Amino acid sequence: MEKNRGIFRVNLPRNMIENSMFEEEPDVVDLGKDSTSFPVVFEPRSSRLLVRGLGENDMDEDEEDCESSARLLGMSFMNRSSATRSDSSPYTRQAPPRSCSQPSTRTMVVCVLLLVVVVSMTMALYFFTGCKFTKTGCPKPNNTTPVETVYPVSTNGELFPWAELRLPRSICPLSYNLTLAPDLDKMTFTGHTVIYMSVRHDTNYIVLHSSNLNIANATFKASNVTVLEYKPRDQIAVKFSEKLKRGQHCVLTLEYSAKLSNTYDGFYNSSYTDKNGNKRVLAATQFEPLAARKAFPCFDEPAFKATFLVKINRKSDYMTLSNMPMAKSTPLNDSLVQDEYKKTSVNMSTYLVAFIVGDFIPVTKDVSKTQVSVYSVPEKKEHTDYALDTASKLLEFYNNFFEIDYPLKKLDLVAIPDFLAGAMENWGLITFRETSLLVGKQSSPLEKQVVASVIAHELAHQGNLFLAVRFRALDKDALNSSHAVSTDVNTEEQVEEMFDSVSYEKGASILLMLNASLPGDQQFRKGIIQYLKQFSGSNTDTDGLWNSLTQVSTQHQNVSEMMSSWTSQKGFPLVTVSRKGDQVTLTQEHFLLTSDNAMHTSSMWIIPVTYLNDSCSLAPECRQLFTLKTKTGILKVPESVKWLKLNYKNTGFYIVHYGDEGWRALTEALSANISVLTHEDRASLIHNIFALSRLGRVAFHQVINLLNYMSNETETSPVTEALLQLNRIYRLLDKRQENIVVASLKNYILNLFAPLMNKKTWGEEESVSKQELRSTLLEMACNLDEKRCIQQAKSLFKQYIESNGTSRIPGDLQRVVFTVAAQSDEGWESLLNMYGHATYDAEKRKMLEGLASTPNTRALAWILKAGLNGDIIQTQELPLVISTVCNSFSGYLFAWDFVQENWDRLIEKFPVGSFAIQTIIKSATSQFSTQRHLDQVQAFFSSLKERGSQMRSVQEALETIRLNQCWMDKNLPSLRNLL
């Protein structure tokens, strides 16, 4: 493959040069920086169900806010609190520890001078303002004038009439008529937007959003009007000499043009290569959270709901899609057609609007009066059948489960070739990344399960409840940099950052906990059904759901009181168990992984504690419930009970510490009989004891003692959790070059899991659970250079190459086979050639992970640049590439330098604060555990100033490095002795 040999002529990053590995100097990219801000109070989408963001604007005229819609499951995109918000940054950088040395003479002199200045100022305030100091401070005199509002300056030099980040509530949109004319040859579009509005309060101006739209003309009451623009807030305004009166209805028409976005939000351009090697282009939308303003002028806050009528002009060889069924198509000339869609049947937020222009082919099925369609590019139509069948079954299930029929005549699911998110639940037009929707005929059951879970998530939109995902949510929420499920955010970047595992998985997990704590059969479902029917199409808030669940509860639990303790504060509790005879004392505290062990919080939760004991531990009826409402609670158990296991099947969002005696009893029970607990309970014990080790509450030898039963393990979740935790420690030790300990830990892992690893075959496997277990074990074995695993993987890859792809590698083994193949230069180039010709996306992505795992640093440099450029490797895959590169010893410093040198280009591709940027920051820093690297990371992000230095993900990265460093310092001595 001669054409690819040139890839190694690239410059290498400075960090690697500093480590005496390379000689060449790096390229440095320095692009312009800008900043935008947008304030919003946000509740994430993890808990929103079928019609999240939809509803009617049936407000009283005296109501100040324009919000509408039932907020399903109590958590819509915005929390419209009227409470005063702090103007200060929510991020606080932890100060480094300081020594307590004796101050110098110079310091003493400076301090005395400062003291004199402070006293002088205080006396001046006292005598010149007449202030009489009291405990409440200096009261404001009645005759003082209020602070005058300072208005920003528009782009044309005039004062902009609005000075706040949130839009004024004096105008509410009622409906939009949108006409868009994209030109896919020039990658531009023109638009014609008509907004019908209601005046809620007397006002002299209309303020709305517009981002990078060139407004050519605006009319109001048939007269041209001047549009002012304030770019830092994406706001435009029209001013009037006479007031618009409350109760008045008015119409604003705007004509504009713009470029199709080159990022993954707004109305953006995408492309793919067809089977003949030709490049095909298309345009698609991604408006969540704040990008509808990039496609049409609008009130782009979720509270401003309206109806939408969409018209799209297209060339005759393209097709279009939008939220609603098509009403008609009208030829405009010989080459252009206008597709008009029906007006939306409900009011909806701007971020749920969607439209697509391209060349897609559907497969369809009628389900309960709804036409379900799955769209793909023509070459991949054969990969759509499974998605269609799954979506159809799920739609019927949800119709029955919620006792409410899906309200539209059509439901489209579209696989977009270039799409950053996994999927987006636009109303009636759900968009997917191809790997999240398309399934090949030879796909494994494990691959099909992943696609089914994504479709189920988007149709119901209540979060992913897999056990391993809940563990990762706990891990992130244990950091001081975490946030509450419902929290204030004040900038556009902070809105983006809310799309994380705390918002998604924690939101879903606490609902799962609530479901498990409600007595009786299906009370959670009954409460949701009552809530949906009671508030359908009307305004509600979080308490609406909790009250509905309280009403159906046979014990009349105060659900609102309990749930507010979980949604309004960050973190989760650690429940510590101590026992004397028949009395068990439960104590709760904030589980906070922080380098400052002196930090304590007063957080309290109402915890539905479930528990089992040795007399009955497997069946659901064994589960008992104790509600811990205070710091300490006491429950009684028979003295004959040998052990207790809390948090049945890990349905609760908390961690349990059993104390030395409790852990010893559970360890002995599992060693005697692994089946004494469910596999979910076994996995939760493993996760909990590793978490407690990181906290410093248990010694690492206790962790090892618990894991000794693992050689008899047969289930995926306990094995996956144990290997993930051990692998994290292995990688940190490897990066610290603790070679002796690394070798010892490697032998320990291989010996512990050898009985399981040796039983695994390399042929086709139909069982999903067995595929999951096999892939987990064999990936770890090959990563640790286990000879049999390496030989088998190489043999499978050789057969695959020699058969020109006709000899299939089982789907669950593809990643491990491709990773082993990429360890040699010859195998890497063969894999790259296969990647360029692969058509099935799930397989192609595993090839990419293999390519990014090579130890050849020149190949790593090429693949990182290729992902950034987006030609051979789509830029949507760059976060995955960086994450994979960081796993290896060869790549982790390399990737960190790449991120630093290309930061400005990265935030051009991905919005600051987005999940992609979060992943990049976390991946590039999570392997660090030294003070030198902590200083580097802190210095780099501090230098960014307004372009991301205060992101929560940065604070999380710094905190993680400190924790890694602390854990290493504490545990290395014992690890050397133990292993």
Side-chain angles (χ1 to χ4, degrees):
M1 196 177 133
E2 187 62 31
K3 64 179 181 179
N4 284 321
R5 296 203 181 274
I7 64 176
F8 301 117
R9 299 192 189 99
V10 295
N11 291 331
L12 299 171
R14 184 173 293 109
N15 217 341
M16 303 304 287
I17 299 170
E18 291 172 352
N19 285 275
S20 303
M21 298 178 70
F22 302 100
E23 299 176 355
E24 299 168 293
E25 284 292 316
D27 295 329
V28 178
V29 179
D30 185 15
L31 303 178
K33 302 176 181 178
D34 62 355
S35 176
T36 57
S37 59
F38 187 92
V40 82
V41 183
F42 179 81
E43 291 184 359
R45 66 178 180 158
S46 63
S47 314
R48 291 170 275 166
L49 287 174
L50 289 172
V51 291
R52 177 186 63 85
L54 309 175
E56 297 182 5
N57 287 324
D58 55 344
M59 299 171 294
D60 296 330
E61 289 192 352
D62 292 332
E63 187 175 354
E64 284 201 18
D65 200 340
C66 300
E67 62 184 330
S68 61
S69 160
R71 291 199 278 159
L72 297 182
L73 291 185
M75 300 178 190
S76 71
F77 191 85
M78 281 188 163
N79 175 351
R80 294 90 174 179
S81 171
S82 60
T84 303
R85 301 189 184 101
S86 170
D87 292 328
S88 62
S89 169
Y91 304 121
T92 304
R93 191 183 302 279
Q94 290 185 350
R98 300 183 182 274
S99 60
C100 300
S101 59
Q102 183 75 17
S104 66
T105 303
R106 181 180 178 182
T107 303
M108 294 290 288
V109 171
V110 172
C111 289
V112 170
L113 288 173
L114 286 174
L115 181 60
V116 170
V117 171
V118 171
V119 171
S120 300
M121 291 178 64
T122 304
M123 293 180 69
L125 283 171
Y126 184 90
F127 289 112
F128 290 106
T129 66
C131 175
K132 304 300 182 184
F133 289 102
T134 65
K135 290 182 179 180
T136 58
C138 182
K140 181 179 177 181
N142 293 332
N143 58 353
T144 56
T145 57
V147 177
E148 184 177 352
T149 301
V150 178
Y151 289 97
V153 178
S154 306
T155 52
N156 69 351
E158 291 187 42
L159 287 181
F160 196 78
W162 185 245
E164 296 185 22
L165 297 171
R166 292 284 294 273
L167 295 182
R169 290 324 198 231
S170 51
I171 300 287
C172 263
L174 300 176
S175 64
Y176 295 79
N177 282 3
L178 307 177
T179 302
L180 297 115
D183 185 333
L184 297 187
D185 296 323
K186 297 179 180 178
M187 292 299 170
T188 61
F189 68 97
T190 60
H192 180 88
T193 296
V194 182
I195 310 176
Y196 298 87
M197 298 167 289
S198 172
V199 181
R200 298 296 183 183
H201 304 282
D202 294 358
T203 182
N204 286 96
Y205 47 81
I206 299 172
V207 181
L208 62 160
H209 289 113
S210 172
S211 178
N212 298 322
L213 303 179
N214 302 312
I215 297 176
N217 189 48
T219 58
F220 185 84
K221 293 185 176 179
S223 299
N224 289 340
V225 290
T226 300
V227 176
L228 303 177
E229 182 176 18
Y230 184 57
K231 287 187 176 182
R233 293 181 188 148
D234 292 339
Q235 292 176 353
I236 59 173
V238 178
K239 292 197 299 185
F240 307 100
S241 57
E242 296 183 2
K243 283 186 181 291
L244 302 177
K245 297 296 184 180
R246 175 181 172 182
Q248 180 180 349
H249 283 203
C250 51
V251 181
L252 177 65
T253 302
L254 299 134
E255 296 178 0
Y256 58 96
S257 62
K259 293 181 179 179
L260 288 170
S261 171
N262 288 317
T263 60
Y264 292 96
D265 62 352
F267 193 17
Y268 72 94
N269 71 77
S270 178
S271 64
Y272 68 96
T273 303
D274 65 18
K275 60 184 178 183
N276 298 318
N278 301 315
K279 183 179 180 180
R280 301 299 302 270
V281 295
L282 59 102
T285 60
Q286 171 61 35
F287 291 160
E288 188 179 46
L290 304 170
R293 65 190 68 176
K294 294 184 177 182
F296 57 95
C298 57
F299 296 79
D300 199 17
E301 293 179 16
F304 291 101
K305 295 176 175 64
T307 58
F308 294 83
L309 189 152
V310 177
K311 301 176 186 177
I312 306 175
N313 298 349
R314 61 173 172 87
K315 286 187 176 180
S316 56
D317 56 343
Y318 283 99
M319 52 85 69
T320 68
L321 293 168
S322 189
N323 302 87
M324 297 295 290
M326 188 180 295
K328 62 180 178 180
S329 288
T330 306
L332 300 178
N333 54 42
D334 292 340
S335 61
L336 285 180
V337 176
Q338 183 178 86
D339 293 336
E340 179 178 334
Y341 290 86
K342 295 179 180 179
K343 181 185 260 188
T344 57
S345 54
V346 294
N347 290 303
M348 55 193 247
S349 303
T350 49
Y351 72 93
L352 289 176
V353 176
F355 36 86
I356 298 171
V357 183
D359 180 19
F360 291 92
I361 292 181
V363 293
T364 64
K365 181 184 289 187
D366 291 330
V367 180
S368 303
K369 301 179 182 178
T370 299
Q371 185 181 69
V372 180
S373 302
V374 177
Y375 287 83
S376 70
V377 297
E379 289 79 4
K380 298 177 181 179
K381 181 180 179 181
E382 63 182 20
H383 296 163
T384 57
D385 290 340
Y386 178 78
L388 179 65
D389 184 56
T390 301
S392 300
K393 291 177 180 177
L394 284 167
L395 184 62
E396 284 187 312
F397 169 79
Y398 288 132
N399 284 345
N400 293 328
F401 183 87
F402 296 114
E403 298 181 2
I404 298 175
D405 288 339
Y406 179 74
L408 291 181
K409 296 296 183 182
K410 68 100 173 177
L411 172 62
D412 296 334
L413 296 81
V414 186
I416 298 178
D418 205 12
F419 192 73
L420 184 60
M424 174 61 201
E425 77 289 3
N426 307 299
W427 179 236
L429 179 61
I430 306 176
T431 47
F432 293 79
R433 182 182 283 216
E434 287 183 325
T435 52
S436 300
L437 188 66
L438 304 181
V439 172
K441 293 182 179 178
Q442 300 298 321
S443 298
S444 68
L446 185 57
E447 291 169 325
K448 292 178 179 178
Q449 177 179 280
V450 171
V451 169
S453 69
V454 175
I455 296 173
H457 169 91
E458 295 306 323
L459 261 63
H461 229 269
Q462 49 187 331
N464 190 332
L465 302 181
F466 289 152
L467 186 64
V469 179
R470 299 206 299 276
F471 289 154
R472 302 294 74 79
L474 283 163
D475 293 346
K476 180 161 183 169
D477 203 27
L479 299 176
N480 193 42
S481 54
S482 184
H483 60 88
V485 172
S486 176
T487 190
D488 287 2
V489 288
N490 302 297
T491 68
E492 183 175 332
E493 289 81 7
Q494 291 172 14
V495 173
E496 292 279 1
E497 283 203 297
M498 289 300 293
F499 290 76
D500 65 0
S501 59
V502 172
S503 298
Y504 277 73
E505 279 76 37
K506 182 181 180 179
S509 296
I510 61 177
L511 291 173
L512 176 69
M513 179 173 62
L514 174 61
N515 180 31
S517 69
L518 291 173
D521 182 42
Q522 294 192 338
Q523 288 199 36
F524 184 75
R525 176 193 174 210
K526 293 173 183 176
I528 290 179
I529 291 172
Q530 176 173 311
Y531 169 79
L532 292 176
K533 290 182 176 179
Q534 181 178 352
F535 295 103
S536 177
S538 63
N539 299 331
T540 185
D541 56 23
T542 306
D543 285 338
L545 174 64
W546 308 146
N547 290 338
S548 295
L549 289 166
T550 299
Q551 291 167 18
V552 302
S553 172
T554 56
Q555 296 180 359
H556 296 291
Q557 297 168 269
N558 190 331
V559 175
S560 181
E561 180 186 11
M562 183 184 86
M563 293 304 289
S564 64
S565 74
W566 293 92
T567 60
S568 62
Q569 58 186 348
K570 69 180 179 182
F572 58 88
L574 165 65
V575 177
T576 301
V577 183
S578 61
R579 179 183 173 190
K580 289 184 178 180
D582 65 346
Q583 183 171 292
V584 177
T585 302
L586 304 181
T587 305
Q588 67 162 298
E589 62 184 290
H590 187 174
F591 186 95
L592 185 63
L593 288 175
T594 174
S595 56
D596 182 4
N597 292 325
M599 181 178 289
H600 297 286
T601 70
S602 57
S603 301
M604 294 284 289
W605 290 263
I606 297 178
I607 313 172
V609 178
T610 54
Y611 63 98
L612 316 153
N613 61 49
D614 58 297
S615 65
C616 185
S617 59
L618 294 174
E621 53 267 24
C622 298
R623 184 196 68 150
Q624 300 182 65
L625 179 67
F626 175 83
T627 302
L628 182 60
K629 296 183 177 181
T630 55
K631 183 174 178 60
T632 301
I634 295 175
L635 61 88
K636 293 294 186 70
V637 298
E639 289 197 27
S640 59
V641 167
K642 297 178 181 178
W643 51 260
L644 287 172
K645 165 64 176 68
L646 272 63
N647 199 1
Y648 176 61
K649 288 192 173 182
N650 207 71
T651 53
F653 200 74
Y654 55 92
I655 281 176
V656 184
H657 183 20
Y658 297 93
D660 291 346
E661 291 299 323
W663 281 112
R664 187 179 298 111
L666 286 166
T667 298
E668 291 173 356
L670 287 171
S671 299
N673 178 14
I674 193 174
S675 299
V676 75
L677 291 173
T678 66
H679 68 90
E680 296 96 337
D681 282 318
R682 301 199 297 271
S684 74
L685 287 177
I686 293 169
H687 175 267
N688 282 198
I689 202 167
F690 271 102
L692 291 165
S693 172
R694 293 188 75 191
L695 191 64
R697 294 293 180 92
V698 300
F700 200 72
H701 72 83
Q702 292 176 278
V703 178
I704 298 297
N705 290 340
L706 178 69
L707 294 181
N708 285 336
Y709 87 90
M710 294 295 296
S711 59
N712 297 319
E713 185 58 78
T714 58
E715 295 290 343
T716 303
S717 53
V719 172
T720 299
E721 186 58 26
L723 287 177
L724 187 148
Q725 297 286 357
L726 289 169
N727 189 48
R728 178 182 61 82
I729 296 170
Y730 178 85
R731 291 187 187 282
L732 287 174
L733 291 166
D734 188 38
K735 272 39 170 219
R736 287 274 289 254
Q737 300 186 52
E738 292 285 343
N739 297 333
I740 296 176
V741 182
V742 167
S744 299
L745 182 57
K746 170 182 172 179
N747 290 332
Y748 169 78
I749 295 171
L750 290 175
N751 290 334
L752 182 63
F753 292 97
L756 284 172
M757 292 174 176
N758 293 335
K759 292 178 183 177
K760 299 306 165 190
T761 62
W762 291 73
E764 294 291 346
E765 173 61 69
E766 293 301 318
S767 167
V768 172
S769 60
K770 289 182 179 179
Q771 282 188 359
E772 290 177 327
L773 182 59
R774 177 171 73 170
S775 63
T776 299
L777 285 165
L778 294 182
E779 283 182 21
M780 190 63 174
C782 283
N783 182 55
L784 298 179
D785 297 321
E786 199 273 329
K787 290 183 179 179
R788 181 172 177 269
C789 183
I790 298 293
Q791 290 171 354
Q792 289 283 2
K794 287 181 176 179
S795 176
L796 267 184
F797 186 73
K798 182 180 179 181
Q799 294 174 24
Y800 187 74
I801 293 292
E802 292 175 348
S803 69
N804 291 321
T806 58
S807 174
R808 185 178 177 275
I809 301 172
D812 62 304
L813 297 179
Q814 287 172 357
R815 183 165 58 190
V816 64
V817 169
F818 295 148
T819 298
V820 169
Q823 301 308 298
S824 70
D825 290 348
E826 181 183 1
W828 191 90
E829 292 207 10
S830 297
L831 191 60
L832 180 60
N833 184 47
M834 291 163 52
Y835 178 83
H837 293 90
T839 57
Y840 178 47
D841 298 283
E843 183 179 45
K844 192 169 185 175
R845 206 158 193 250
K846 292 166 190 170
M847 290 178 182
L848 184 60
E849 290 181 270
L851 291 168
S853 66
T854 175
N856 187 317
T857 48
R858 295 188 181 275
L860 292 177
W862 179 87
I863 197 170
L864 286 166
K865 283 193 173 183
L868 187 62
N869 293 334
D871 296 328
I872 299 174
I873 298 171
Q874 291 177 311
T875 302
Q876 68 176 17
E877 302 292 3
L878 186 56
L880 175 67
V881 170
I882 293 174
S883 177
T884 307
V885 168
C886 288
N887 284 334
S888 69
F889 180 80
S890 302
Y892 83 111
L893 293 176
F894 204 96
W896 168 235
D897 272 358
F898 173 84
V899 170
Q900 293 177 85
E901 292 167 10
N902 294 281
W903 179 258
D904 287 329
R905 289 190 65 188
L906 289 172
I907 60 176
E908 281 187 345
K909 302 283 186 180
F910 313 111
V912 173
S914 65
F915 188 76
I917 290 294
Q918 292 179 51
T919 300
I920 289 170
I921 292 173
K922 179 180 178 180
S923 300
T925 60
S926 62
Q927 303 295 311
F928 294 157
S929 61
T930 66
Q931 186 64 42
R932 182 171 66 87
H933 284 130
L934 175 63
D935 293 342
Q936 284 184 11
V937 174
Q938 191 158 11
F940 171 70
F941 284 108
S942 295
S943 71
L944 299 179
K945 297 180 181 177
E946 77 280 3
R947 295 303 293 160
S949 63
Q950 293 301 309
M951 284 187 294
R952 183 183 288 115
S953 48
V954 172
Q955 309 311 309
E956 179 186 340
L958 294 171
E959 192 174 359
T960 300
I961 298 171
R962 293 189 189 101
L963 288 168
N964 290 344
Q965 181 183 5
C966 182
W967 192 92
M968 283 290 175
D969 292 343
K970 286 184 177 179
N971 289 281
L972 264 176
S974 61
L975 281 171
R976 293 188 183 107
N977 295 327
L978 187 64
L979 297 173

